[in-house]
Amino acid sequence: MEALGLPPLSTLSVSRCRVGVLGRTCYSNHSVPSSLKLSTTHHKRHGVVRMQAYEEEYELKQMKDMAAARKRWEALVREEKVKILSPREAGYAIQLSNKTLLDVRPSTERKKAWVKGSTWIPIFEVDDRFDVGTLSRKITNFMMGGWWSGVPALSYDSQFLTKVEQKFPKDTDLILACQKGLRSLAACELLYNAGYSNLFWVQGGLEAAEEEDLVREGPEPFKLAGIGGLSEFLGWTDQQRVAATKEGWGYRLVFSARLVGVFLVADALFIGAQQLGRYLQDIRSH
């Protein structure tokens, strides 16, 4: 699921959903004292096999949770309990009807681009805790692709509903938006179950918006607010490829230069590691 960049829906929904599908991919990590080291290859292989089996079981559960969540969300839209708006229609509604846009994205996306006058209450936020369990999830998130996509480990804000209720009465017209559309739809379900009846969902999220659809503030276009990591640095995201076709060769040359720089740095590190290895061998031989 987080091919979309999305973490258990158990806390997210009043029904039976797990937040994990919508923020980061988290795996439980049972810490083992360093003194209890496996002494044989057999034990190590057995441990690896068990971990792989656990990860596969977890991913299967995530897929089932996501499928169940999608069915509920589709029912909300099909029964018109949540109304669909395109980004352009949302822009018209904000300007002509003074409807409120509720931005539920994490701060990493919000700080790059936001709709002028929107209210920001993230349903998932970057997990800044540094306890043992959180650190293991961050490492897992990084190893599972965070280094490439730049998507950080996120955690569900259990105060999300309370924050919305403190700011908006339940008869308020609320337009919910996120970067791609999934987190905002999850937020719609949560708010609907809490009694909000005038909910509008921006289909496709802000990433689907053209610059003329909504009044933007922030340093980046809406389409680039959800990218990051090495893929963004090298310009290898779909959004940047589309931008490159509009901007021309100057835009592409910047990323080509970065790619060459990455190869040069990697080559220098490799040569340095070889020289260090030889130096250490010389020390040992003397």
Side-chain angles (χ1 to χ4, degrees):
M1 170 58 199
E2 202 68 6
L4 299 167
L6 294 178
L9 282 177
S10 60
T11 44
L12 170 70
S13 170
V14 178
S15 24
R16 297 176 294 281
C17 139
R18 302 195 60 216
V19 176
V21 208
L22 291 173
R24 68 206 183 277
T25 305
C26 295
Y27 298 89
S28 301
N29 184 23
H30 303 285
S31 58
V32 179
S34 58
S35 58
L36 299 180
K37 295 181 179 178
L38 296 176
S39 58
T40 67
T41 304
H42 171 74
H43 287 161
K44 289 180 181 178
R45 288 178 179 171
H46 182 64
V48 170
V49 170
R50 277 198 308 179
M51 178 57 72
Q52 290 176 341
Y54 176 80
E55 290 179 357
E56 290 175 0
E57 181 182 349
Y58 182 87
E59 290 175 358
L60 180 60
K61 180 169 177 50
Q62 290 285 78
M63 291 172 62
K64 290 180 178 178
D65 286 345
M66 193 63 226
R70 281 184 179 277
K71 287 182 179 179
R72 294 197 308 274
W73 299 340
E74 288 170 1
L76 283 175
V77 173
R78 184 174 59 251
E79 296 166 11
E80 297 187 346
K81 296 173 180 177
V82 173
K83 288 83 174 176
I84 295 177
L85 293 178
S86 68
R88 180 164 296 183
E89 289 170 337
Y92 289 145
I94 293 167
Q95 294 180 36
L96 302 178
S97 305
N98 293 319
K99 287 184 171 61
T100 298
L101 182 84
L102 179 57
D103 187 343
V104 301
R105 297 175 300 163
S107 57
T108 50
E109 297 171 358
R110 168 79 180 188
K111 69 183 180 182
K112 293 182 179 180
W114 61 91
V115 177
K116 184 178 181 180
S118 61
T119 298
W120 179 52
I121 305 178
I123 187 171
F124 296 101
E125 185 53 297
V126 177
D127 198 335
D128 292 325
R129 295 171 299 172
F130 284 99
D131 54 79
V132 175
T134 303
L135 185 59
S136 69
R137 290 196 295 270
K138 289 182 177 181
I139 293 172
T140 299
N141 180 78
F142 182 80
M143 298 302 294
M144 295 293 289
W147 62 275
W148 176 254
S149 67
V151 176
L154 302 176
S155 60
Y156 170 66
D157 184 358
S158 59
Q159 296 300 308
F160 170 75
L161 182 57
T162 301
K163 291 175 182 177
V164 175
E165 289 175 332
Q166 288 174 347
K167 199 164 187 66
F168 301 109
K170 294 189 175 179
D171 59 351
T172 305
D173 288 345
L174 287 178
I175 302 174
L176 278 80
C178 62
Q179 189 63 25
K180 294 177 180 290
L182 280 177
R183 296 184 184 113
S184 53
L185 192 50
C188 283
E189 180 190 29
L190 188 62
L191 293 176
Y192 178 81
N193 289 340
Y196 284 85
S197 55
N198 300 316
L199 298 172
F200 301 83
W201 170 57
V202 179
Q203 188 174 34
L206 297 180
E207 192 166 294
E210 301 299 333
E211 285 299 302
E212 63 270 16
D213 293 343
L214 297 156
V215 181
R216 176 180 61 85
E217 294 184 328
E220 299 283 352
F222 287 125
K223 293 181 183 295
L224 303 185
I227 62 177
L230 185 59
S231 60
E232 179 188 22
F233 179 78
L234 296 176
W236 285 0
T237 65
D238 292 337
Q239 297 90 329
Q240 288 168 304
R241 290 192 185 100
V242 173
T245 61
K246 298 178 181 178
E247 299 291 337
W249 282 104
Y251 187 87
R252 298 176 187 178
L253 284 173
V254 171
F255 296 106
S256 297
R258 290 182 181 180
L259 179 59
V260 171
V262 168
F263 278 117
L264 290 175
V265 170
D267 194 42
L269 290 173
F270 178 72
I271 294 173
Q274 283 185 322
Q275 295 295 333
L276 179 61
R278 290 171 187 159
Y279 176 72
L280 293 175
Q281 281 183 341
D282 289 342
I283 292 177
R284 288 173 183 170
S285 62
H286 289 86

